[in-house]
Amino acid sequence: MSDGHGHGRDDEHGHRNGDENGHEHGHGHGHGDDHDPDHDAIQSRVRALQSLLLEKGIVSTDAIDEVISSYEEDIGPINGARVVARAWTDSAFKTRLLDDADEALAEFDFEIGAQHIEVKENTSEVHNVVVCTLCSCYPWSLLGLPPTWYKTPAYRSRTVREPRAVLSEFGVELDEDAEVNVWDSSSEIRYMVLPQRPDGTAEYTEDELAELVTRNAMIGVERLGSTEPPEALADD
Amino acid sequence: MTDEMKADLDAVFEDLLGHETPTFAEPWQARAFALTVVLYDEGDGFDWTAFQQRLIDAVDDTAPEAYAPADGDPTDAEAERIYYEQWCEALERLLVEEAVITPDELDARAGEFAAGVRTAEEFVEGDRGHHR
């Protein structure tokens, strides 16, 4: 397939080294400006892809719109947070979750898709953090879209090389003898961290607990116990 | 990679650290992402591993300086754009290599959108019933 790598993409990727499009370009690149030639080019290519796939009957517009709206509105870290809250309140579920997450997650009403999920538990002695060194694989069905920093070369490379330094930049300070495990989602497996349940939450319901769980805690760049006690408790 | 470049990349990361961009920065990014998810969920044998390999290649092919532009401060939108360009490149390569689409028809169709002969209105539900 001699054509596969060359067709029409080089101009977009190489646009910092010289614009082959012949467009006028009196301003900066790619900052979302509607009149930016680079922006127009990529937009046209994506539309062309969709148009061709629709024409061939491979995808439907309804399905695409549904995916867009569900990722923009419905799927956020809330799915993951519900899973974490249940694991905190139901030890049998937690055991199943850590043992075979795909099976345990089938109990929920959201779709996991064909991603394989593994869940890694944080304890006082062990801290887990998730990265994708090669690209940006992420457990979308549980956490929604990845934050921008997750996709940066610095996070991808430094998390493996110096996880403690990276964690410290996120405000996570670990004991020197704590074990740090870095899980690289470079295979078909997507990892999610099961954070430690914060102290002082014994009276919380599953729903209340879910509200405490943050996306960053499930990526492993935040420890929930390290913050102030929830105000709900202080008020009581 | 030089130390200076590494410092630049680290600075980009630190700049973006406090930002929260949970949704797509541009509509075309949402479209590219959703196309891939639909192909995977509903398509006939979409090979996610093959897609991922091409995404890895596209990430590898991106010059490090692209992440730390000399002509301006890095922004969330810039980082997202780079990422979804890599994503689109991976998707195009996969579809072409698996002969789902040809480079020629893709170039031609993209040209029609760029020229305004076609617009995103063709994706509006209920529009032009004779189009599938």
Side-chain angles (χ1 to χ4, degrees), chain B residues 4-110:
Chain B
E4 193 176 332
M5 187 166 289
K6 181 186 165 306
D8 281 349
L9 292 178
D10 290 350
V12 173
F13 171 63
E14 278 161 29
D15 281 351
L16 297 177
L17 234 175
H19 297 204
E20 299 295 326
T21 49
T23 60
F24 303 101
E26 294 274 349
W28 65 265
Q29 299 168 2
R31 197 184 293 280
F33 177 83
L35 266 177
T36 313
V37 171
V38 170
L39 280 169
Y40 183 51
D41 284 348
E42 299 184 2
D44 187 13
F46 184 84
D47 183 345
W48 193 274
T49 305
F51 171 71
Q52 186 184 316
Q53 188 54 53
R54 281 153 189 80
L55 181 56
I56 291 166
D57 292 345
V59 171
D60 274 351
D61 290 349
T62 303
E65 56 266 29
Y67 294 96
D71 60 349
D73 294 329
T75 62
D76 284 22
E78 187 81 357
E80 294 289 332
R81 181 187 60 74
I82 292 169
Y83 171 68
Y84 283 106
E85 280 191 3
Q86 293 162 344
W87 184 288
C88 291
E89 167 140 3
L91 181 60
E92 278 188 32
R93 283 186 186 177
L94 182 64
L95 293 173
V96 167
E97 286 170 23
E98 304 216 328
V100 176
I101 55 173
T102 69
D104 287 348
E105 67 181 347
L106 180 59
D107 286 344
R109 188 63 57 97

Side-chain angles (χ1 to χ4, degrees), chain A residues 7 20 35 38 64 69 115 164 176 183 194 203 225 235:
Chain A
H7 65 283
E20 297 170 354
H35 302 293
D38 296 324
I64 290 165
S69 69
Q115 302 176 0
R164 282 169 188 274
E176 275 186 18
W183 299 96
L194 174 58
E203 305 299 319
D235 290 342

